[in-house]
Amino acid sequence: MELRTIGRSLAICIITIHGTCVYAQTSVEATINKKIDRVISKMTLNEKIDMLHGNSLFSSAGVKRLGIPELTCDDGPLGVREEVGRYTWDPLKLKTDSATFFPNGSAMAATWNPTLTYKFGVIMGQEALARGKNIMLAPAFNICRTPLCGRTYEYYSEDPFLNAQLAISSVRGIQSQNVSACIKHFAVNNQETYRDSINAVVDERALREIYLPAFKAAIQQGHAYSLMSAYNEVNGVHCSENDFLLNKVLKGEWGFKGLVMSDWGGTHSTINAAKNGLDLEMGSKGPFNTWYFADPLLEAVKAGKIDEKLIDQKVRRILWVMYHTSMAEHKMPGSINTPAHSKAVYDMACESIVLLKNKDHALPLNTANIKSIAVIGDNAIHTFATGGFGAGVKAKYEVTALQGIKSRLGKNIDIRFAQGYKANYKTNYTAQQKENANIPNQSLISQAVALAKGSDVAILCIGSNRDYESEGSDRKNLNLPFGEQELVNAVTAANPNTIIVIMAGAPYDIAEIKKNSAAIVWSWFNGAEAGNALADVLIGKVNPSGKLPFTFPAKLDDSPAHALHTFPGENLTTNYKEGILVGYRWFDTKNIEPLYCFGYGLSYTNFKYSPVKTDEKKYKTGENILATLQLKNTGKYAGKEIVQLYVSKLNSQTGQAEKQLKAFKKVLVMPGGMANVVLNFNATDLAYFNDEKHKWMVEPGEYKVSIGSSSRDLRQSTIITVAD
């Protein structure tokens, strides 16, 4: 142990094991720990137990006589949800509980911009604070293993490194406002089918390399205060009582100091959950005193089955979170629904939009030659702040696509609307009702075709919505819903100047649209300013810079979980046979051509990459690797390019993926201008997890460092050597 002084007065106690810093305590932290010790010493056993389970839908008890308030939490990640009753999910229907609607998780991932996700976190923290919330149940960033998962729209990406960078920044942003981020769902929560009981069988290498890195980064670099355990089992044990995940890895190896809460109704035992890492039980059924961590836990302590010291540890973790949030010495002011928040979500929406196709420069629209536009499709007037099962936002406002287009072009261009299809779908529909919802509406299609024929340009807004993509259920296939393909076919045949705009949070089969349409824009569930951002991209005020955060398969069976017939599993078990080959790792290693690759996205301009150089040619494990290049904008529009760096182990003997993302940077370059791009990573980042030796190891030898615009558009490369 050693004591270091930083600056004038900040003392840090450094404890090292085998030369590695495992815990750093500032003088502020030492003071907090002393306060916690004093509080716990004054608490009765009953008061301690009361703090370990919910006392309403979104709170757990404090200790009034000791000045400890309730611990309050609220759903994310789309924004602070509307207020509901203490004991019911029914909205209170207040006039004061609206909030800012943020772009969905995969939209934020499509920005590839940690600066924006930090801003996302800051604003969410400010709004949570304004509404009196101590913990935001966000961000959610489980790996997108299957494109059918109902929560793909909520999560970030298929890549652990991209997930990690965005998780770190959003957690830091939220917690900068004295609000705890609650990272979720730990771990391997990759499907909604049988989510309460499915057993995910996954080897330790895949766990360590794919499913855990973002959580580790969010804790050790983002310093997350709270974590939510997942519903599912991992290797035969429920996540809320999984000793390996919660005790050995999370609290042991990673040094997590915060609290672990269950997902709502995700607790399954008293003694096992208490001993194996759960700290706070939320959302169980029945009277609060009957919950696993209520009277049953009290009786277990009294009977000597659980040591009261373990209860003290759990109370300590909860108090630790509270002393960083509601009981913090210096508190931030909250704010909600401000103009600055609106501007920020506009920026997020703009940078998330992905241009998938732009044949013959159909975009941006040449408005000088356009007198009439047909805006077609239910999604042009649909709002996405609510819907389906799960968290939504009572948005103060939400600009639809039609509203955005009219606000930008309505003064000089005749803009008319046709619905085209009915998005008649609810998560509680029967199978027959859901099937009927996907039957094309020929009457609406005919009206749309007539409007398209008489217009200079058609903007066709299709995709899904928050009812169709929803927590609690997975999609059955990749087909576009609501008979949209028939609508697209009819409208594009009637007017070849048709722009396809797709609003969805997960991949769909758009192969026919890709083949037959001039321009395709992917616009997500893009928050309060979605319509304005979309319109500005269409007219060229904003140059699209989003890149896909996951692979679009050409067909469902190309995706690993489906190719290996492990989704949704059999006998409540899904075997992750693909191991580390998730997403583009699978497609590239198996040489399968996707519909759209990971990291793909076009721009209105073009970028030229100079040869990439590294600061050295040979490195040792632990040394930093610096890669540099010059990026030139050769077009006539200012644009942001996401420079992506992938590393491939040449002649690998350890079963590594064909390539892995190891660094990226979003760079703004003016027309004709040039930017120097510096990307760095550590040789340790090249390590794989050796299952047999149960440790990280770097395979020595040659590595190919490739840089480009997507995982399949790598412009420049160089070879480096890494030694033991």
Side-chain angles (χ1 to χ4, degrees):
M1 183 177 75
E2 61 176 301
L3 185 68
R4 299 179 189 171
T5 300
I6 299 178
R8 295 182 178 178
S9 60
L10 186 60
I12 298 181
C13 177
I14 304 292
I15 300 174
T16 60
I17 297 177
H18 303 305
T20 301
C21 175
V22 296
Y23 177 69
Q25 185 182 57
T26 67
S27 57
V28 173
E29 288 293 308
T31 300
I32 288 174
N33 287 331
K34 288 179 181 178
K35 290 180 180 179
I36 292 173
D37 288 339
R38 287 196 294 268
V39 170
I40 292 177
S41 70
K42 297 176 183 178
M43 292 176 67
T44 67
L45 177 60
N46 288 68
E47 288 171 337
K48 295 173 185 176
I49 296 295
D50 284 345
M51 290 187 69
L52 305 188
H53 63 84
N55 68 346
S56 77
L57 279 178
F58 285 102
S59 68
S60 56
V63 184
K64 189 173 183 179
R65 72 178 184 88
L66 297 177
I68 303 172
E70 287 186 334
L71 183 66
T72 60
C73 53
D74 197 88
D75 268 326
L78 298 177
V80 187
R81 74 177 298 156
E82 66 183 328
E83 298 294 344
V84 297
R86 282 186 65 86
Y87 313 114
T88 173
W89 292 98
D90 295 335
L92 293 182
K93 298 182 179 180
L94 305 176
K95 294 182 179 180
T96 56
D97 60 347
S98 63
T100 299
F101 170 34
F102 294 91
N104 65 284
S106 52
M108 291 304 303
T111 70
W112 289 61
N113 190 337
T115 300
L116 277 183
T117 49
Y118 178 80
K119 186 178 292 186
F120 160 91
V122 169
I123 296 172
M124 179 170 284
Q126 290 172 344
E127 300 213 342
L129 205 59
R131 292 270 297 277
K133 312 302 180 184
N134 309 138
I135 300 177
M136 280 304 294
L137 305 179
F141 48 80
N142 289 98
I143 290 291
C144 300
R145 178 180 181 243
T146 166
L148 300 184
C149 179
R151 299 186 87 163
T152 294
Y153 82 91
E154 186 178 339
Y155 297 154
Y156 283 160
S157 168
E158 67 188 23
D159 180 74
F161 180 75
L162 179 58
N163 271 13
Q165 301 311 302
L166 301 178
I168 291 166
S169 57
S170 60
V171 167
R172 286 177 176 173
I174 292 170
Q175 295 185 171
S176 70
Q177 305 302 305
N178 297 125
V179 174
S180 170
C182 183
I183 56 178
K184 61 183 188 180
H185 306 84
F186 193 68
V188 200
N189 177 204
N190 309 116
Q191 64 184 71
E192 293 297 282
T193 306
Y194 312 127
R195 68 175 183 175
D196 296 310
S197 51
I198 193 72
N199 176 28
V201 178
V202 54
D203 63 68
E204 189 172 0
R205 180 175 182 181
L207 268 176
R208 300 278 191 171
E209 293 188 24
I210 303 296
Y211 299 101
L212 299 187
F215 286 98
K216 181 180 181 181
I219 290 161
Q220 295 192 332
Q221 298 176 61
H223 309 294
Y225 299 156
S226 305
L227 175 145
M228 182 185 292
S229 60
Y231 281 123
N232 51 282
E233 295 181 0
V234 172
N235 295 330
V237 183
H238 274 288
C239 290
S240 58
E241 53 187 59
N242 195 303
D243 178 63
F244 174 77
L245 289 176
L246 300 183
N247 282 338
K248 290 184 172 61
V249 175
L250 177 67
K251 295 180 176 180
E253 294 179 23
W254 299 349
F256 178 61
K257 294 177 64 178
L259 72 88
V260 176
M261 69 170 67
S262 71
D263 205 338
W264 269 233
T267 308
H268 301 276
S269 68
T270 297
I271 293 176
N272 283 344
K275 289 185 175 180
N276 292 331
L278 188 68
D279 300 311
L280 176 60
E281 176 187 8
M282 292 301 294
S284 295
K285 295 181 179 180
F288 295 116
N289 68 298
T290 66
W291 287 15
Y292 293 106
F293 273 23
D295 287 352
L297 182 58
L298 179 64
E299 294 306 314
V301 175
K302 290 180 177 179
K305 296 179 181 179
I306 292 179
D307 194 325
E308 188 172 348
K309 291 181 180 179
L310 181 60
I311 304 302
D312 290 348
Q313 292 174 16
K314 299 180 186 302
V315 173
R316 173 177 295 280
R317 290 176 176 276
I318 293 171
L319 287 171
W320 185 85
V321 172
M322 297 182 76
Y323 273 108
H324 286 81
T325 56
S326 60
M327 297 172 68
E329 186 173 343
H330 303 288
K331 297 181 182 178
M332 301 292 292
S335 60
I336 197 164
N337 290 323
T338 69
H341 293 182
S342 295
K343 175 59 168 63
V345 296
Y346 168 81
D347 292 340
M348 296 169 197
C350 286
E351 291 205 20
S352 76
I353 292 173
V354 183
L355 180 62
L356 294 178
K357 185 177 180 180
N358 195 20
K359 184 180 179 182
D360 298 328
H361 305 290
L363 291 175
L365 295 172
N366 185 358
T367 55
N369 297 329
I370 298 173
K371 296 181 179 180
S372 60
I373 295 177
V375 179
I376 298 170
D378 186 81
N379 267 2
I381 58 172
H382 204 94
T383 56
F384 302 97
T386 60
F389 174 76
V393 183
K394 184 178 178 180
K396 182 180 180 181
Y397 72 94
E398 181 178 349
V399 180
T400 66
L402 181 60
Q403 290 170 337
I405 293 168
K406 282 186 173 182
S407 72
R408 297 316 197 243
L409 299 174
K411 289 183 179 180
N412 302 314
I413 297 174
D414 179 25
I415 298 172
R416 290 175 291 167
F417 171 73
Q419 187 176 2
Y421 67 92
K422 285 186 178 180
N424 183 21
Y425 190 96
K426 299 296 179 184
T427 55
N428 61 354
Y429 273 6
T430 65
Q432 186 59 53
Q433 286 175 315
K434 291 179 179 179
E435 185 176 338
N436 292 342
N438 289 321
I439 297 175
N441 187 312
Q442 294 301 331
S443 175
L444 292 180
I445 290 176
S446 296
Q447 295 172 24
V449 167
L451 183 60
K453 281 183 177 179
S455 303
D456 294 331
V457 174
I459 300 174
L460 181 50
C461 299
I462 59 170
S464 65
N465 55 44
R466 292 278 315 290
D467 289 302
Y468 197 75
E469 293 180 47
S470 171
E471 177 185 351
S473 62
D474 296 319
R475 287 182 287 141
K476 301 301 181 184
N477 53 54
L478 291 176
N479 298 342
L480 287 166
F482 317 131
E484 290 173 351
Q485 187 63 62
E486 287 79 359
L487 173 65
V488 173
N489 294 345
V491 171
T492 53
N495 189 334
N497 297 321
T498 297
I499 309 300
I500 308 295
V501 177
I502 304 174
M503 300 162 189
Y508 283 82
D509 180 2
I510 57 172
E512 192 171 347
I513 293 175
K514 178 182 179 182
K515 180 181 178 181
N516 297 324
S517 300
I520 307 172
V521 176
W522 195 275
S523 189
W524 313 101
F525 307 142
N526 229 349
E529 288 284 330
N532 289 333
L534 172 64
D536 285 344
V537 166
L538 295 178
I539 65 177
K541 181 179 179 181
V542 171
N543 189 347
S545 62
K547 303 274 190 177
L548 293 178
F550 34 58
T551 303
F552 276 46
K555 59 181 185 298
L556 184 59
D557 285 346
D558 287 344
S559 293
H562 302 272
L564 299 174
H565 308 293
T566 64
F567 173 86
E570 295 182 358
N571 300 319
L572 297 180
T573 297
T574 176
N575 194 320
Y576 284 43
K577 295 178 182 179
E578 70 277 9
I580 63 170
L581 299 183
V582 178
Y584 69 91
R585 287 168 167 80
W586 169 270
F587 285 82
D588 292 348
T589 304
K590 300 295 183 180
N591 198 26
I592 300 170
E593 187 68 27
L595 184 65
Y596 289 109
C597 69
F598 174 77
Y600 176 86
L602 302 176
S603 172
Y604 293 153
T605 193
N606 297 303
F607 297 98
K608 182 179 180 181
Y609 287 66
S610 74
V612 59
K613 299 177 181 179
T614 54
D615 54 340
E616 304 288 346
K617 284 299 182 181
K618 295 183 179 180
Y619 300 89
K620 293 180 180 179
T621 301
E623 290 185 338
N624 197 55
I625 301 169
L626 208 64
T628 60
L629 73 149
Q630 289 186 321
L631 184 71
K632 184 175 183 179
N633 183 339
T634 60
K636 61 181 181 178
Y637 295 94
K640 294 180 180 179
E641 171 72 325
I642 300 167
V643 180
Q644 303 166 40
L645 183 151
Y646 296 84
V647 179
S648 306
K649 176 65 183 73
L650 302 182
N651 303 310
S652 174
Q653 303 301 308
T654 59
Q656 299 205 39
E658 196 276 334
K659 71 171 75 78
Q660 301 178 54
L661 180 71
K662 292 300 178 184
F664 64 87
K665 183 170 289 187
K666 195 161 194 174
V667 184
L668 172 64
V669 191
M670 303 308 291
M674 188 173 293
N676 293 317
V677 181
V678 180
L679 298 164
N680 67 83
F681 59 102
N682 196 283
T684 306
D685 298 334
L686 303 177
Y688 72 98
F689 190 81
N690 188 309
D691 266 335
E692 294 181 356
K693 296 183 178 181
H694 298 285
K695 68 177 184 178
W696 290 95
M697 301 179 67
V698 175
E699 183 179 4
E702 290 187 325
Y703 287 82
K704 184 179 182 181
V705 177
S706 302
I707 295 183
S709 187
S710 75
S711 61
R712 296 224 168 183
D713 182 13
L714 299 175
R715 312 284 181 86
Q716 303 289 346
S717 65
T718 189
I719 305 296
I720 62 172
T721 300
V722 178
D724 289 328

